[in-house]
Amino acid sequence: MNDTLKKAAVIGWPISHSKSPLIHGHWIKEFGINGHFERIALNPEEFVSGIRNLVAQGYQGCNITIPHKEAALDMADSISDRAKAIGAANTLVFKDGKIHADNTDGIGFINNLKQGAPSWQASGGTALVLGAGGAARAIIYALLQEGAPKIIIANRTVGKAHKLAAFFGDKVSATSMDGAANNLSETHTLVNTTALGMIGQPELAIDLSNLPKTALVTDIVYNPLQTALLKQADDLGLETVDGLGMLLHQAVPGFEAWFGVRPTVDKALRQIVLAG
Ligand code: NAP
């Protein structure tokens, strides 16, 4: 029987906060896989040689987090279309000594909404995306792929929102954070991708009362799980989805590629990650 130990890891700098070992460790146990998943800290100087070492040691691949997502893309031998469009990689798969780069943040975002709000469809109307950083880029790409007819990006640094809108083309436009308020009445999907609302950060100051009653509100900040934005939306009777599921769903494609089984995101996994 060929049951050699399969190894994967999450790489970042720093990395001690990463929840990825809890997620992959849970699935390894669930499926009874002879597998191991660990955190590895690599600083920017040692990143490329560190990844080459993992390839040489027979690792299946790794997740990549801050600050290496662009460097991971640059060193890959092949790149998925979505990672190319997003301009960053969060998942590397090693095969025959080669590195394949993927980005699963966007699909993780979409699959979280599909699970948390089964009747929601990106094609149902305009998406208002607050923030224009790395996560916003992945989410905008995924929303467009899912058929969003129009996306408005609102960001503190408006120039960054304009640059991102120009990158994605005609369906995407930009405004300031204050300008976001003027677009609420036409919004079908409201997404916070800024760091605002996270523990230790200022609150996101936006009055949601002009959103249509059919709008969905989601926040990719998951610490706290119910951000003030989601609480306000709940109080208004709007459908909401929290951000923890995005983290869990983005891990699915990597696990499947490394360990050969497609895992599911369920309540037990949520509880483990929340408690960890
Ligand atoms: P990033 O590239 O650094 O972008 C940060 C964004 O937040 C920018 O749009 C920035 O605006 C905005 N921002 C930060 N502080 C602000 C403030 N005080 N006032 C107004 N806007 C502010 O970060 P990222 O990778 O996109 O991540 C953003 C957030 O998403 C983080 O909280 C991260 O933990 C979370 N996240 C969650 C998941 C998940 O799986 N749930 C995945 C990825 C990220 P400027 O452009 O004006 O600086």
Side-chain angles (χ1 to χ4, degrees):
M1 184 176 148
N2 181 11
D3 190 21
T4 47
L5 178 68
K6 288 183 171 164
K7 293 176 290 184
V10 57
I11 315 293
W13 182 262
I15 197 60
S16 57
H17 63 282
S18 173
K19 303 229 183 245
S20 293
L22 287 174
I23 302 170
H24 293 288
H26 169 73
W27 287 331
I28 285 171
K29 215 163 115 192
E30 183 179 36
F31 291 110
I33 289 167
N34 184 17
H36 180 67
F37 189 95
E38 66 196 296
R39 294 183 182 91
I40 300 178
L42 290 177
N43 69 36
E45 288 73 42
E46 61 196 5
F47 176 72
V48 170
S49 61
I51 294 292
R52 297 251 173 257
N53 257 334
L54 297 184
V55 176
Q57 286 174 46
Y59 276 70
Q60 306 297 312
C62 54
N63 279 139
I64 301 291
T65 186
I66 289 167
H68 302 310
K69 288 185 173 185
E70 284 86 14
L73 195 73
D74 290 345
M75 74 177 295
D77 299 295
S78 61
I79 302 174
S80 69
D81 288 345
R82 59 194 181 194
K84 220 173 275 173
I86 294 163
N90 74 340
T91 304
L92 298 181
V93 179
F94 308 151
K95 201 165 175 223
D96 303 326
K98 302 272 190 221
I99 300 170
H100 178 70
D102 194 8
N103 191 311
T104 65
D105 279 337
I107 195 68
F109 170 80
I110 294 292
N111 286 341
N112 182 37
L113 293 191
K114 286 184 174 171
Q115 187 175 47
S119 61
W120 171 85
Q121 287 190 324
S123 56
T126 300
L128 177 57
V129 176
L130 309 177
R137 197 177 172 102
I139 286 169
I140 292 163
Y141 174 80
L143 283 168
L144 288 170
Q145 289 289 109
E146 283 292 308
K150 181 176 171 186
I151 297 179
I152 301 165
I153 310 169
N155 198 44
R156 173 180 62 179
T157 310
V158 189
K160 268 172 74 179
H162 279 291
K163 216 169 148 191
L164 204 52
F167 174 82
F168 282 112
D170 288 353
K171 290 181 180 164
V172 186
S173 60
T175 185
S176 63
M177 283 296 268
D178 287 342
N182 301 327
N183 295 291
L184 287 171
S185 60
E186 65 156 303
T187 295
H188 170 68
T189 311
L190 176 75
V191 190
N192 175 41
T193 77
T194 74
L196 293 172
M198 190 160 71
I199 286 173
Q201 294 280 338
E203 284 305 342
L204 175 54
I206 186 164
D207 179 350
L208 301 180
S209 31
N210 283 340
L211 278 176
K213 288 291 166 215
T214 49
L216 173 90
V217 178
T218 185
D219 199 329
I220 71 164
V221 168
Y222 57 83
N223 190 11
L225 200 52
Q226 192 190 45
T227 59
L229 179 77
L230 294 183
K231 164 99 177 52
Q232 189 192 157
D234 268 347
D235 291 347
L236 287 166
L238 302 170
E239 189 161 32
T240 61
V241 178
D242 70 54
L244 181 62
M246 175 179 170
L247 178 76
L248 307 181
H249 281 280
Q250 64 76 32
V252 169
F255 188 90
E256 185 176 20
W258 306 323
F259 298 110
V261 194
R262 188 166 180 87
T264 51
V265 171
D266 58 16
K267 279 191 181 137
L269 179 64
R270 272 178 74 89
Q271 286 314 315
I272 284 164
V273 173
L274 281 174

